[in-house]
Amino acid sequence: MHEGPWPMRRDGLLFREAVASDIEALQAFRNDPGVNHFMVRTFVDPDDLRREWLAVPSNPTDYSCVVELDGRVVAMGFLDVVDGPGQPGRPTGTDGVIGYIVDPRVAGRGVGTATARALLCAAFDGLGLRRVTAAANADNIASVAVLQRAGMRRGARGPQGLVAPDPWLAGRGGVCAARRGVGAVPRSGMERDLMSEQFYSDATLYDRLFPGREQAVDFYRTEADQQGGSVPELGSGTGRKLIPIASDGHPCAGLELSPHMLAEARRKADERGVDVEWVQGDMREFDLDRTFDLVLIAANSLLHLLEAEDLVRCFRSVRRHWRPERGSASTCSTRACTCLPEPTARDAGATRCRSWIPIVASCMSMSRRPTTRPRR
């Protein structure tokens, strides 16, 4: 159990840690389409929600809370402590990421603004953090207004199409000024790395923001059943697709660049008693010393490769590991194709890159045999 900034009373609300009796109330509005219209994670399984919230007190970096109004739970606040991305030495536990979800039945009563302010107070005064970020979709005018009223300012954006939310910042002392300097670099690799550090250095936060959908997992499980044999996934993350595939009896290997993601994937696999070979490595150049029947590059993993040369290297590595008599499945979003750089006289490869991605998405995601058997 960790000592945190809760309970806290302010603005007529009580902010405290969640208990088992709160889960039903949280579930009642967490998956409401009107609430999560702009959220990346639009649905949370009730069992997952219960497990995540009851694990908060034992997680040394998670200080999430529930919000009470007149004795009723009306909101949830998220506060995750992360290492300082982009700072010299990447100091441990200096930054925070906040978020909130409010019951629509109390919309318009200032609960969202009060929650954001309480989370900032908890981060700075309670935990001594030096910088806090939040993300709001640019079209979510209400949340943008909430973050402004809470005292946050708009930060630097990532490349158009790759980072959907706008990051918002709040800071103390020199850190905020340093962030202004970094954020002023337009469309830079450093800017992309700052966003990646935040999302990929905290596997628990990543799972909250980017949940696995059962329908998508079932698609890959069916593909594996139909193709048979062994399966590697490139960019396997926390194992949300690969662990279920391995539980069906397929030999699996997960290649992942982030050690934080791999650690969480190992934990999940061990918890379920599933055997998966987890390998830290780069999908652009890897050697697993054998070939496979089905190669997965799922969801938006491929879109982390921004250069034509990187795509070529990746697919060469895939070709070396793929048994040519078998099918191969890979999916990615094509929405972000427009964010790739325009070709220059010395970079004809960008033209190839822009034309390849739709082909990969529309052709490689199809099985050689149609998926007809739904998984129960």
Side-chain angles (χ1 to χ4, degrees), residues 227-275:
Q227 299 291 347
S230 53
V231 182
E233 181 184 1
L234 312 186
S236 53
T238 62
R240 287 177 303 205
K241 296 176 179 65
L242 201 60
I243 292 174
I245 292 173
S247 71
D248 293 334
H250 299 282
C252 290
L255 182 78
E256 172 57 46
L257 187 62
S258 167
H260 308 281
M261 295 290 183
L262 281 177
E264 178 65 7
R266 289 192 183 98
R267 185 195 68 78
K268 288 181 177 180
D270 290 344
E271 187 178 76
R272 293 185 56 174
V274 175
D275 185 24

Side-chain angles (χ1 to χ4, degrees), residues 308-327:
E309 180 183 352
D310 293 336
L311 285 169
V312 171
R313 291 170 61 194
C314 174
F315 284 114
R316 282 176 178 164
S317 293
V318 168
R319 180 63 183 83
R320 291 195 300 269
H321 290 79
W322 176 37
R323 295 173 188 163
E325 68 274 13
R326 311 297 290 183

